[in-house]
Amino acid sequence: MFITFEGIDGCGKSTQIAIFEAMLKDKGISPVITLEPGGTMIGKAIRKILLDVENTQLTPLTELFLYEADRAQHVNEIIKPALEAGKWVICDRYYDATTVYQGLVLQGYEGLIEQLNIEACSHIAPDVTFLLDCPAEIGLSRIEERRRNHTETDRFDRKTLDFHTRIRYGYLALAGKHKERITIIDATLSRERVAIKIEEAMRPYL
Ligand code: TYD
């Protein structure tokens, strides 16, 4: 079983993945928890380039190739072997993030993005994708809170409210196109309510 979590920055993916993992463990399932970018050693090096605030000169195409390079390595090294071994894999972001984030910046490159997504993922599609949906204001205020605790920021944190709003609507449009795979979860609810909704959606598979 391959499950991915998507949503704007600050939508609460990490929290929900941790709760979901605990729920699965209660049921005797030990999932592989992973993320993009940065799910492998090579991916961590790529992530460092992507997140570095000094790297203001990264072109949108360079970014696209780096995300896809991270994914190609990740699928080969982690996701594919785990699925072949019959494990559950839960991934924090996958190719939908590239479709939406890079698709927004690289308008007119939809065909290339789709082709690279397919090649990088070795044709492995998620069985279920949870889109944690909330207004960009909420996501950003959560990031702001995180920032106050950690002081450090990365390149992604610096994007504007307008950017995050457009990402949100990009995700919602994508979910509309893949209703069979993508389940939209209202991420403005309490973390307990969100967790219950995810568990309910997974009931047929448990
Ligand atoms: P991360 O710190 O993991 O953010 P979050 O915890 O909110 O997921 O950084 C991931 C950032 O990378 C996030 O802003 C989205 C972006 N991203 C892309 O633009 N394209 C991609 O293909 C992926 C996987 C992530």
Side-chain angles (χ1 to χ4, degrees), residues 50 59-68 71 94-110 113 117 155-156 159 163 167 171:
L50 284 163
T59 76
L61 264 183
T62 310
E63 275 196 12
L64 169 65
F65 296 146
L66 287 173
Y67 282 114
E68 298 293 4
R71 181 161 304 122
Y94 194 51
Y95 54 39
D96 292 328
T98 312
T99 305
V100 173
Y101 281 82
Q102 278 62 57
L104 181 63
V105 179
L106 286 164
Q107 306 224 354
Y109 285 82
E110 291 78 9
I113 293 172
N117 274 344
R155 285 179 61 243
F156 306 113
K159 300 229 164 97
F163 174 82
I167 293 293
Y171 267 126

PDB file of all heavy atoms in Angstrom, residues 50 59-68 71 94-110 113 117 155-156 159 163 167 171:
ATOM      1  N   LEU A  50      18.205  22.755  -2.623  1.00  0.00           N
ATOM      2  CA  LEU A  50      16.884  23.343  -2.857  1.00  0.00           C
ATOM      3  C   LEU A  50      16.463  24.314  -1.760  1.00  0.00           C
ATOM      4  O   LEU A  50      15.772  25.301  -2.014  1.00  0.00           O
ATOM      5  CB  LEU A  50      15.841  22.232  -2.990  1.00  0.00           C
ATOM      6  CG  LEU A  50      15.840  21.480  -4.322  1.00  0.00           C
ATOM      7  CD1 LEU A  50      15.092  20.153  -4.215  1.00  0.00           C
ATOM      8  CD2 LEU A  50      15.213  22.340  -5.420  1.00  0.00           C
ATOM      9  N   THR A  59      17.407  28.269 -11.227  1.00  0.00           N
ATOM     10  CA  THR A  59      16.353  28.572 -12.204  1.00  0.00           C
ATOM     11  C   THR A  59      15.204  27.581 -11.983  1.00  0.00           C
ATOM     12  O   THR A  59      15.409  26.493 -11.426  1.00  0.00           O
ATOM     13  CB  THR A  59      16.852  28.443 -13.660  1.00  0.00           C
ATOM     14  OG1 THR A  59      16.945  27.051 -13.969  1.00  0.00           O
ATOM     15  CG2 THR A  59      18.194  29.117 -13.863  1.00  0.00           C
ATOM     16  N   PRO A  60      14.004  27.930 -12.410  1.00  0.00           N
ATOM     17  CA  PRO A  60      12.871  27.015 -12.241  1.00  0.00           C
ATOM     18  C   PRO A  60      13.115  25.643 -12.874  1.00  0.00           C
ATOM     19  O   PRO A  60      12.711  24.627 -12.320  1.00  0.00           O
ATOM     20  CB  PRO A  60      11.724  27.754 -12.937  1.00  0.00           C
ATOM     21  CG  PRO A  60      12.087  29.199 -12.820  1.00  0.00           C
ATOM     22  CD  PRO A  60      13.581  29.240 -12.933  1.00  0.00           C
ATOM     23  N   LEU A  61      13.812  25.612 -14.009  1.00  0.00           N
ATOM     24  CA  LEU A  61      14.084  24.311 -14.640  1.00  0.00           C
ATOM     25  C   LEU A  61      15.079  23.501 -13.817  1.00  0.00           C
ATOM     26  O   LEU A  61      14.929  22.286 -13.674  1.00  0.00           O
ATOM     27  CB  LEU A  61      14.647  24.508 -16.055  1.00  0.00           C
ATOM     28  CG  LEU A  61      13.662  24.449 -17.214  1.00  0.00           C
ATOM     29  CD1 LEU A  61      14.399  24.589 -18.537  1.00  0.00           C
ATOM     30  CD2 LEU A  61      12.844  23.152 -17.218  1.00  0.00           C
ATOM     31  N   THR A  62      16.076  24.190 -13.247  1.00  0.00           N
ATOM     32  CA  THR A  62      17.047  23.493 -12.387  1.00  0.00           C
ATOM     33  C   THR A  62      16.298  22.876 -11.209  1.00  0.00           C
ATOM     34  O   THR A  62      16.525  21.720 -10.853  1.00  0.00           O
ATOM     35  CB  THR A  62      18.118  24.483 -11.858  1.00  0.00           C
ATOM     36  OG1 THR A  62      18.636  25.217 -12.947  1.00  0.00           O
ATOM     37  CG2 THR A  62      19.222  23.758 -11.127  1.00  0.00           C
ATOM     38  N   GLU A  63      15.391  23.658 -10.621  1.00  0.00           N
ATOM     39  CA  GLU A  63      14.597  23.152  -9.492  1.00  0.00           C
ATOM     40  C   GLU A  63      13.820  21.901  -9.899  1.00  0.00           C
ATOM     41  O   GLU A  63      13.819  20.903  -9.179  1.00  0.00           O
ATOM     42  CB  GLU A  63      13.584  24.212  -9.042  1.00  0.00           C
ATOM     43  CG  GLU A  63      14.165  25.212  -8.085  1.00  0.00           C
ATOM     44  CD  GLU A  63      13.073  25.997  -7.346  1.00  0.00           C
ATOM     45  OE1 GLU A  63      11.891  25.614  -7.406  1.00  0.00           O
ATOM     46  OE2 GLU A  63      13.424  26.986  -6.719  1.00  0.00           O
ATOM     47  N   LEU A  64      13.166  21.981 -11.051  1.00  0.00           N
ATOM     48  CA  LEU A  64      12.386  20.836 -11.528  1.00  0.00           C
ATOM     49  C   LEU A  64      13.273  19.598 -11.630  1.00  0.00           C
ATOM     50  O   LEU A  64      12.911  18.521 -11.129  1.00  0.00           O
ATOM     51  CB  LEU A  64      11.765  21.163 -12.892  1.00  0.00           C
ATOM     52  CG  LEU A  64      11.128  19.996 -13.650  1.00  0.00           C
ATOM     53  CD1 LEU A  64       9.910  19.448 -12.894  1.00  0.00           C
ATOM     54  CD2 LEU A  64      10.716  20.411 -15.070  1.00  0.00           C
ATOM     55  N   PHE A  65      14.450  19.749 -12.256  1.00  0.00           N
ATOM     56  CA  PHE A  65      15.333  18.591 -12.436  1.00  0.00           C
ATOM     57  C   PHE A  65      15.823  18.060 -11.090  1.00  0.00           C
ATOM     58  O   PHE A  65      15.983  16.854 -10.912  1.00  0.00           O
ATOM     59  CB  PHE A  65      16.527  18.957 -13.334  1.00  0.00           C
ATOM     60  CG  PHE A  65      16.119  19.335 -14.743  1.00  0.00           C
ATOM     61  CD1 PHE A  65      16.817  20.298 -15.454  1.00  0.00           C
ATOM     62  CD2 PHE A  65      15.034  18.722 -15.362  1.00  0.00           C
ATOM     63  CE1 PHE A  65      16.433  20.647 -16.752  1.00  0.00           C
ATOM     64  CE2 PHE A  65      14.646  19.065 -16.654  1.00  0.00           C
ATOM     65  CZ  PHE A  65      15.347  20.033 -17.349  1.00  0.00           C
ATOM     66  N   LEU A  66      16.057  18.963 -10.145  1.00  0.00           N
ATOM     67  CA  LEU A  66      16.537  18.517  -8.825  1.00  0.00           C
ATOM     68  C   LEU A  66      15.449  17.722  -8.096  1.00  0.00           C
ATOM     69  O   LEU A  66      15.730  16.687  -7.489  1.00  0.00           O
ATOM     70  CB  LEU A  66      16.989  19.707  -7.980  1.00  0.00           C
ATOM     71  CG  LEU A  66      18.310  20.360  -8.402  1.00  0.00           C
ATOM     72  CD1 LEU A  66      18.574  21.626  -7.590  1.00  0.00           C
ATOM     73  CD2 LEU A  66      19.479  19.385  -8.225  1.00  0.00           C
ATOM     74  N   TYR A  67      14.201  18.204  -8.152  1.00  0.00           N
ATOM     75  CA  TYR A  67      13.109  17.444  -7.515  1.00  0.00           C
ATOM     76  C   TYR A  67      12.956  16.084  -8.177  1.00  0.00           C
ATOM     77  O   TYR A  67      12.718  15.073  -7.504  1.00  0.00           O
ATOM     78  CB  TYR A  67      11.783  18.208  -7.595  1.00  0.00           C
ATOM     79  CG  TYR A  67      11.669  19.322  -6.583  1.00  0.00           C
ATOM     80  CD1 TYR A  67      11.610  20.650  -6.972  1.00  0.00           C
ATOM     81  CD2 TYR A  67      11.629  19.035  -5.218  1.00  0.00           C
ATOM     82  CE1 TYR A  67      11.513  21.670  -6.045  1.00  0.00           C
ATOM     83  CE2 TYR A  67      11.536  20.054  -4.282  1.00  0.00           C
ATOM     84  CZ  TYR A  67      11.481  21.362  -4.695  1.00  0.00           C
ATOM     85  OH  TYR A  67      11.391  22.371  -3.770  1.00  0.00           O
ATOM     86  N   GLU A  68      13.086  16.040  -9.492  1.00  0.00           N
ATOM     87  CA  GLU A  68      12.923  14.768 -10.199  1.00  0.00           C
ATOM     88  C   GLU A  68      14.114  13.834  -9.934  1.00  0.00           C
ATOM     89  O   GLU A  68      13.939  12.623  -9.822  1.00  0.00           O
ATOM     90  CB  GLU A  68      12.740  14.994 -11.701  1.00  0.00           C
ATOM     91  CG  GLU A  68      11.496  15.803 -12.060  1.00  0.00           C
ATOM     92  CD  GLU A  68      10.162  15.092 -11.770  1.00  0.00           C
ATOM     93  OE1 GLU A  68      10.145  13.987 -11.217  1.00  0.00           O
ATOM     94  OE2 GLU A  68       9.121  15.697 -12.111  1.00  0.00           O
ATOM     95  N   ARG A  71      13.546  12.332  -6.668  1.00  0.00           N
ATOM     96  CA  ARG A  71      12.474  11.327  -6.760  1.00  0.00           C
ATOM     97  C   ARG A  71      12.971  10.027  -7.396  1.00  0.00           C
ATOM     98  O   ARG A  71      12.674   8.937  -6.904  1.00  0.00           O
ATOM     99  CB  ARG A  71      11.297  11.908  -7.557  1.00  0.00           C
ATOM    100  CG  ARG A  71      10.107  10.957  -7.689  1.00  0.00           C
ATOM    101  CD  ARG A  71       8.860  11.709  -8.063  1.00  0.00           C
ATOM    102  NE  ARG A  71       8.615  12.756  -7.094  1.00  0.00           N
ATOM    103  CZ  ARG A  71       8.511  14.053  -7.382  1.00  0.00           C
ATOM    104  NH1 ARG A  71       8.582  14.478  -8.628  1.00  0.00           N
ATOM    105  NH2 ARG A  71       8.311  14.935  -6.425  1.00  0.00           N
ATOM    106  N   TYR A  94       4.922  13.813  -3.013  1.00  0.00           N
ATOM    107  CA  TYR A  94       5.367  12.953  -4.120  1.00  0.00           C
ATOM    108  C   TYR A  94       5.142  13.738  -5.403  1.00  0.00           C
ATOM    109  O   TYR A  94       5.105  14.982  -5.358  1.00  0.00           O
ATOM    110  CB  TYR A  94       4.550  11.648  -4.066  1.00  0.00           C
ATOM    111  CG  TYR A  94       5.078  10.497  -4.897  1.00  0.00           C
ATOM    112  CD1 TYR A  94       6.412  10.088  -4.816  1.00  0.00           C
ATOM    113  CD2 TYR A  94       4.236   9.785  -5.749  1.00  0.00           C
ATOM    114  CE1 TYR A  94       6.873   9.010  -5.560  1.00  0.00           C
ATOM    115  CE2 TYR A  94       4.690   8.699  -6.493  1.00  0.00           C
ATOM    116  CZ  TYR A  94       6.018   8.328  -6.395  1.00  0.00           C
ATOM    117  OH  TYR A  94       6.471   7.249  -7.134  1.00  0.00           O
ATOM    118  N   TYR A  95       4.894  13.070  -6.520  1.00  0.00           N
ATOM    119  CA  TYR A  95       4.902  13.837  -7.776  1.00  0.00           C
ATOM    120  C   TYR A  95       3.794  14.880  -7.903  1.00  0.00           C
ATOM    121  O   TYR A  95       3.919  15.816  -8.704  1.00  0.00           O
ATOM    122  CB  TYR A  95       4.952  12.943  -8.997  1.00  0.00           C
ATOM    123  CG  TYR A  95       3.910  11.852  -9.157  1.00  0.00           C
ATOM    124  CD1 TYR A  95       2.577  12.034  -8.806  1.00  0.00           C
ATOM    125  CD2 TYR A  95       4.285  10.635  -9.708  1.00  0.00           C
ATOM    126  CE1 TYR A  95       1.644  11.023  -8.997  1.00  0.00           C
ATOM    127  CE2 TYR A  95       3.355   9.617  -9.905  1.00  0.00           C
ATOM    128  CZ  TYR A  95       2.032   9.817  -9.549  1.00  0.00           C
ATOM    129  OH  TYR A  95       1.106   8.831  -9.729  1.00  0.00           O
ATOM    130  N   ASP A  96       2.730  14.777  -7.107  1.00  0.00           N
ATOM    131  CA  ASP A  96       1.703  15.829  -7.169  1.00  0.00           C
ATOM    132  C   ASP A  96       2.302  17.187  -6.790  1.00  0.00           C
ATOM    133  O   ASP A  96       1.880  18.228  -7.310  1.00  0.00           O
ATOM    134  CB  ASP A  96       0.538  15.512  -6.212  1.00  0.00           C
ATOM    135  CG  ASP A  96      -0.261  14.296  -6.660  1.00  0.00           C
ATOM    136  OD1 ASP A  96      -0.371  14.072  -7.879  1.00  0.00           O
ATOM    137  OD2 ASP A  96      -0.783  13.570  -5.788  1.00  0.00           O
ATOM    138  N   ALA A  97       3.284  17.149  -5.866  1.00  0.00           N
ATOM    139  CA  ALA A  97       3.922  18.411  -5.445  1.00  0.00           C
ATOM    140  C   ALA A  97       4.632  19.059  -6.630  1.00  0.00           C
ATOM    141  O   ALA A  97       4.584  20.288  -6.795  1.00  0.00           O
ATOM    142  CB  ALA A  97       4.909  18.151  -4.306  1.00  0.00           C
ATOM    143  N   THR A  98       5.273  18.248  -7.456  1.00  0.00           N
ATOM    144  CA  THR A  98       5.959  18.811  -8.628  1.00  0.00           C
ATOM    145  C   THR A  98       4.943  19.352  -9.630  1.00  0.00           C
ATOM    146  O   THR A  98       5.115  20.439 -10.186  1.00  0.00           O
ATOM    147  CB  THR A  98       6.831  17.740  -9.313  1.00  0.00           C
ATOM    148  OG1 THR A  98       7.597  17.075  -8.319  1.00  0.00           O
ATOM    149  CG2 THR A  98       7.758  18.354 -10.337  1.00  0.00           C
ATOM    150  N   THR A  99       3.879  18.585  -9.843  1.00  0.00           N
ATOM    151  CA  THR A  99       2.838  19.040 -10.773  1.00  0.00           C
ATOM    152  C   THR A  99       2.327  20.409 -10.348  1.00  0.00           C
ATOM    153  O   THR A  99       2.162  21.308 -11.173  1.00  0.00           O
ATOM    154  CB  THR A  99       1.660  18.031 -10.793  1.00  0.00           C
ATOM    155  OG1 THR A  99       2.188  16.745 -11.107  1.00  0.00           O
ATOM    156  CG2 THR A  99       0.603  18.416 -11.798  1.00  0.00           C
ATOM    157  N   VAL A 100       2.097  20.569  -9.050  1.00  0.00           N
ATOM    158  CA  VAL A 100       1.494  21.813  -8.571  1.00  0.00           C
ATOM    159  C   VAL A 100       2.532  22.937  -8.391  1.00  0.00           C
ATOM    160  O   VAL A 100       2.371  24.020  -8.961  1.00  0.00           O
ATOM    161  CB  VAL A 100       0.724  21.570  -7.251  1.00  0.00           C
ATOM    162  CG1 VAL A 100       0.235  22.879  -6.658  1.00  0.00           C
ATOM    163  CG2 VAL A 100      -0.449  20.627  -7.506  1.00  0.00           C
ATOM    164  N   TYR A 101       3.597  22.671  -7.640  1.00  0.00           N
ATOM    165  CA  TYR A 101       4.570  23.744  -7.343  1.00  0.00           C
ATOM    166  C   TYR A 101       5.342  24.158  -8.602  1.00  0.00           C
ATOM    167  O   TYR A 101       5.376  25.337  -8.948  1.00  0.00           O
ATOM    168  CB  TYR A 101       5.562  23.308  -6.257  1.00  0.00           C
ATOM    169  CG  TYR A 101       5.031  23.392  -4.844  1.00  0.00           C
ATOM    170  CD1 TYR A 101       4.235  22.377  -4.320  1.00  0.00           C
ATOM    171  CD2 TYR A 101       5.319  24.474  -4.017  1.00  0.00           C
ATOM    172  CE1 TYR A 101       3.762  22.436  -3.009  1.00  0.00           C
ATOM    173  CE2 TYR A 101       4.856  24.546  -2.703  1.00  0.00           C
ATOM    174  CZ  TYR A 101       4.080  23.522  -2.214  1.00  0.00           C
ATOM    175  OH  TYR A 101       3.615  23.585  -0.929  1.00  0.00           O
ATOM    176  N   GLN A 102       5.966  23.181  -9.273  1.00  0.00           N
ATOM    177  CA  GLN A 102       6.759  23.551 -10.455  1.00  0.00           C
ATOM    178  C   GLN A 102       5.827  23.940 -11.611  1.00  0.00           C
ATOM    179  O   GLN A 102       6.160  24.787 -12.431  1.00  0.00           O
ATOM    180  CB  GLN A 102       7.699  22.412 -10.854  1.00  0.00           C
ATOM    181  CG  GLN A 102       9.006  22.376 -10.045  1.00  0.00           C
ATOM    182  CD  GLN A 102       8.784  22.162  -8.564  1.00  0.00           C
ATOM    183  OE1 GLN A 102       8.178  21.178  -8.151  1.00  0.00           O
ATOM    184  NE2 GLN A 102       9.226  23.109  -7.753  1.00  0.00           N
ATOM    185  N   GLY A 103       4.633  23.320 -11.629  1.00  0.00           N
ATOM    186  CA  GLY A 103       3.658  23.652 -12.674  1.00  0.00           C
ATOM    187  C   GLY A 103       3.237  25.109 -12.604  1.00  0.00           C
ATOM    188  O   GLY A 103       3.002  25.753 -13.622  1.00  0.00           O
ATOM    189  N   LEU A 104       3.196  25.638 -11.381  1.00  0.00           N
ATOM    190  CA  LEU A 104       2.786  27.034 -11.201  1.00  0.00           C
ATOM    191  C   LEU A 104       3.843  27.994 -11.751  1.00  0.00           C
ATOM    192  O   LEU A 104       3.536  28.990 -12.393  1.00  0.00           O
ATOM    193  CB  LEU A 104       2.561  27.300  -9.702  1.00  0.00           C
ATOM    194  CG  LEU A 104       2.116  28.697  -9.319  1.00  0.00           C
ATOM    195  CD1 LEU A 104       0.759  29.015  -9.922  1.00  0.00           C
ATOM    196  CD2 LEU A 104       2.047  28.850  -7.808  1.00  0.00           C
ATOM    197  N   VAL A 105       5.104  27.641 -11.499  1.00  0.00           N
ATOM    198  CA  VAL A 105       6.196  28.517 -11.912  1.00  0.00           C
ATOM    199  C   VAL A 105       6.531  28.319 -13.393  1.00  0.00           C
ATOM    200  O   VAL A 105       6.803  29.277 -14.114  1.00  0.00           O
ATOM    201  CB  VAL A 105       7.444  28.239 -11.029  1.00  0.00           C
ATOM    202  CG1 VAL A 105       8.603  29.120 -11.456  1.00  0.00           C
ATOM    203  CG2 VAL A 105       7.111  28.479  -9.559  1.00  0.00           C
ATOM    204  N   LEU A 106       6.482  27.052 -13.828  1.00  0.00           N
ATOM    205  CA  LEU A 106       6.870  26.729 -15.214  1.00  0.00           C
ATOM    206  C   LEU A 106       5.636  26.563 -16.089  1.00  0.00           C
ATOM    207  O   LEU A 106       5.375  25.468 -16.594  1.00  0.00           O
ATOM    208  CB  LEU A 106       7.683  25.427 -15.214  1.00  0.00           C
ATOM    209  CG  LEU A 106       9.117  25.497 -14.704  1.00  0.00           C
ATOM    210  CD1 LEU A 106       9.649  24.108 -14.387  1.00  0.00           C
ATOM    211  CD2 LEU A 106      10.021  26.163 -15.737  1.00  0.00           C
ATOM    212  N   GLN A 107       4.920  27.643 -16.281  1.00  0.00           N
ATOM    213  CA  GLN A 107       3.703  27.529 -17.089  1.00  0.00           C
ATOM    214  C   GLN A 107       4.098  27.226 -18.531  1.00  0.00           C
ATOM    215  O   GLN A 107       5.062  27.770 -19.045  1.00  0.00           O
ATOM    216  CB  GLN A 107       2.920  28.821 -16.985  1.00  0.00           C
ATOM    217  CG  GLN A 107       2.665  29.148 -15.524  1.00  0.00           C
ATOM    218  CD  GLN A 107       1.258  29.602 -15.232  1.00  0.00           C
ATOM    219  OE1 GLN A 107       0.460  29.796 -16.126  1.00  0.00           O
ATOM    220  NE2 GLN A 107       0.959  29.755 -13.954  1.00  0.00           N
ATOM    221  N   GLY A 108       3.349  26.300 -19.140  1.00  0.00           N
ATOM    222  CA  GLY A 108       3.671  25.885 -20.507  1.00  0.00           C
ATOM    223  C   GLY A 108       4.544  24.645 -20.546  1.00  0.00           C
ATOM    224  O   GLY A 108       4.797  24.094 -21.609  1.00  0.00           O
ATOM    225  N   TYR A 109       5.023  24.199 -19.376  1.00  0.00           N
ATOM    226  CA  TYR A 109       5.889  23.022 -19.317  1.00  0.00           C
ATOM    227  C   TYR A 109       5.152  21.791 -18.769  1.00  0.00           C
ATOM    228  O   TYR A 109       5.776  20.863 -18.301  1.00  0.00           O
ATOM    229  CB  TYR A 109       7.104  23.292 -18.430  1.00  0.00           C
ATOM    230  CG  TYR A 109       8.153  24.161 -19.058  1.00  0.00           C
ATOM    231  CD1 TYR A 109       8.023  25.545 -19.062  1.00  0.00           C
ATOM    232  CD2 TYR A 109       9.300  23.601 -19.627  1.00  0.00           C
ATOM    233  CE1 TYR A 109       8.999  26.355 -19.629  1.00  0.00           C
ATOM    234  CE2 TYR A 109      10.277  24.399 -20.187  1.00  0.00           C
ATOM    235  CZ  TYR A 109      10.116  25.779 -20.188  1.00  0.00           C
ATOM    236  OH  TYR A 109      11.085  26.577 -20.742  1.00  0.00           O
ATOM    237  N   GLU A 110       3.815  21.844 -18.786  1.00  0.00           N
ATOM    238  CA  GLU A 110       3.049  20.757 -18.160  1.00  0.00           C
ATOM    239  C   GLU A 110       3.426  19.389 -18.722  1.00  0.00           C
ATOM    240  O   GLU A 110       3.522  18.406 -17.993  1.00  0.00           O
ATOM    241  CB  GLU A 110       1.541  20.985 -18.333  1.00  0.00           C
ATOM    242  CG  GLU A 110       0.978  22.156 -17.532  1.00  0.00           C
ATOM    243  CD  GLU A 110       1.266  23.518 -18.160  1.00  0.00           C
ATOM    244  OE1 GLU A 110       1.761  23.553 -19.315  1.00  0.00           O
ATOM    245  OE2 GLU A 110       1.009  24.542 -17.499  1.00  0.00           O
ATOM    246  N   ILE A 113       6.809  18.251 -17.382  1.00  0.00           N
ATOM    247  CA  ILE A 113       6.689  17.901 -15.959  1.00  0.00           C
ATOM    248  C   ILE A 113       6.045  16.520 -15.815  1.00  0.00           C
ATOM    249  O   ILE A 113       6.525  15.670 -15.060  1.00  0.00           O
ATOM    250  CB  ILE A 113       5.885  18.979 -15.187  1.00  0.00           C
ATOM    251  CG1 ILE A 113       6.683  20.288 -15.146  1.00  0.00           C
ATOM    252  CG2 ILE A 113       5.547  18.513 -13.775  1.00  0.00           C
ATOM    253  CD1 ILE A 113       5.942  21.482 -14.577  1.00  0.00           C
ATOM    254  N   ASN A 117       7.833  13.273 -14.272  1.00  0.00           N
ATOM    255  CA  ASN A 117       7.201  12.617 -13.124  1.00  0.00           C
ATOM    256  C   ASN A 117       7.076  11.120 -13.366  1.00  0.00           C
ATOM    257  O   ASN A 117       7.412  10.306 -12.508  1.00  0.00           O
ATOM    258  CB  ASN A 117       5.799  13.190 -12.881  1.00  0.00           C
ATOM    259  CG  ASN A 117       5.823  14.437 -12.007  1.00  0.00           C
ATOM    260  OD1 ASN A 117       6.812  14.715 -11.335  1.00  0.00           O
ATOM    261  ND2 ASN A 117       4.730  15.175 -12.006  1.00  0.00           N
ATOM    262  N   ARG A 155      14.156  28.565   1.881  1.00  0.00           N
ATOM    263  CA  ARG A 155      13.664  29.274   0.689  1.00  0.00           C
ATOM    264  C   ARG A 155      12.154  29.187   0.553  1.00  0.00           C
ATOM    265  O   ARG A 155      11.515  30.091   0.074  1.00  0.00           O
ATOM    266  CB  ARG A 155      14.350  28.733  -0.562  1.00  0.00           C
ATOM    267  CG  ARG A 155      15.783  29.201  -0.702  1.00  0.00           C
ATOM    268  CD  ARG A 155      16.443  28.624  -1.936  1.00  0.00           C
ATOM    269  NE  ARG A 155      15.771  29.026  -3.147  1.00  0.00           N
ATOM    270  CZ  ARG A 155      15.164  28.184  -3.986  1.00  0.00           C
ATOM    271  NH1 ARG A 155      15.146  26.904  -3.735  1.00  0.00           N
ATOM    272  NH2 ARG A 155      14.587  28.623  -5.058  1.00  0.00           N
ATOM    273  N   PHE A 156      11.576  28.059   0.969  1.00  0.00           N
ATOM    274  CA  PHE A 156      10.141  27.864   0.785  1.00  0.00           C
ATOM    275  C   PHE A 156       9.322  28.751   1.716  1.00  0.00           C
ATOM    276  O   PHE A 156       8.275  29.243   1.355  1.00  0.00           O
ATOM    277  CB  PHE A 156       9.767  26.402   1.002  1.00  0.00           C
ATOM    278  CG  PHE A 156      10.581  25.485   0.152  1.00  0.00           C
ATOM    279  CD1 PHE A 156      11.486  24.617   0.708  1.00  0.00           C
ATOM    280  CD2 PHE A 156      10.443  25.523  -1.226  1.00  0.00           C
ATOM    281  CE1 PHE A 156      12.245  23.794  -0.097  1.00  0.00           C
ATOM    282  CE2 PHE A 156      11.200  24.703  -2.037  1.00  0.00           C
ATOM    283  CZ  PHE A 156      12.105  23.830  -1.469  1.00  0.00           C
ATOM    284  N   LYS A 159       8.141  32.411   0.583  1.00  0.00           N
ATOM    285  CA  LYS A 159       7.203  32.724  -0.493  1.00  0.00           C
ATOM    286  C   LYS A 159       5.978  33.426   0.085  1.00  0.00           C
ATOM    287  O   LYS A 159       5.666  33.331   1.267  1.00  0.00           O
ATOM    288  CB  LYS A 159       6.823  31.433  -1.210  1.00  0.00           C
ATOM    289  CG  LYS A 159       8.044  30.730  -1.814  1.00  0.00           C
ATOM    290  CD  LYS A 159       7.812  30.342  -3.240  1.00  0.00           C
ATOM    291  CE  LYS A 159       9.099  30.013  -3.961  1.00  0.00           C
ATOM    292  NZ  LYS A 159       9.392  28.597  -4.016  1.00  0.00           N
ATOM    293  N   PHE A 163       1.354  33.306  -3.396  1.00  0.00           N
ATOM    294  CA  PHE A 163       1.943  32.076  -3.938  1.00  0.00           C
ATOM    295  C   PHE A 163       1.273  30.848  -3.305  1.00  0.00           C
ATOM    296  O   PHE A 163       0.845  29.928  -3.987  1.00  0.00           O
ATOM    297  CB  PHE A 163       3.461  32.061  -3.673  1.00  0.00           C
ATOM    298  CG  PHE A 163       4.133  30.769  -4.057  1.00  0.00           C
ATOM    299  CD1 PHE A 163       4.491  30.526  -5.377  1.00  0.00           C
ATOM    300  CD2 PHE A 163       4.397  29.777  -3.105  1.00  0.00           C
ATOM    301  CE1 PHE A 163       5.100  29.319  -5.749  1.00  0.00           C
ATOM    302  CE2 PHE A 163       5.004  28.573  -3.468  1.00  0.00           C
ATOM    303  CZ  PHE A 163       5.354  28.352  -4.789  1.00  0.00           C
ATOM    304  N   ILE A 167      -0.967  27.814  -4.897  1.00  0.00           N
ATOM    305  CA  ILE A 167      -0.608  26.394  -4.718  1.00  0.00           C
ATOM    306  C   ILE A 167      -1.833  25.633  -4.198  1.00  0.00           C
ATOM    307  O   ILE A 167      -2.167  24.555  -4.672  1.00  0.00           O
ATOM    308  CB  ILE A 167       0.582  26.233  -3.723  1.00  0.00           C
ATOM    309  CG1 ILE A 167       1.859  26.812  -4.319  1.00  0.00           C
ATOM    310  CG2 ILE A 167       0.757  24.774  -3.321  1.00  0.00           C
ATOM    311  CD1 ILE A 167       2.411  26.076  -5.520  1.00  0.00           C
ATOM    312  N   TYR A 171      -3.613  22.480  -6.092  1.00  0.00           N
ATOM    313  CA  TYR A 171      -3.857  21.158  -5.505  1.00  0.00           C
ATOM    314  C   TYR A 171      -5.335  20.776  -5.626  1.00  0.00           C
ATOM    315  O   TYR A 171      -5.666  19.636  -5.943  1.00  0.00           O
ATOM    316  CB  TYR A 171      -3.455  21.138  -4.032  1.00  0.00           C
ATOM    317  CG  TYR A 171      -2.043  20.678  -3.766  1.00  0.00           C
ATOM    318  CD1 TYR A 171      -1.161  21.459  -3.035  1.00  0.00           C
ATOM    319  CD2 TYR A 171      -1.597  19.438  -4.207  1.00  0.00           C
ATOM    320  CE1 TYR A 171       0.138  21.033  -2.765  1.00  0.00           C
ATOM    321  CE2 TYR A 171      -0.301  19.000  -3.929  1.00  0.00           C
ATOM    322  CZ  TYR A 171       0.557  19.802  -3.214  1.00  0.00           C
ATOM    323  OH  TYR A 171       1.834  19.368  -2.946  1.00  0.00           O
TER     324      TYR A 171
END
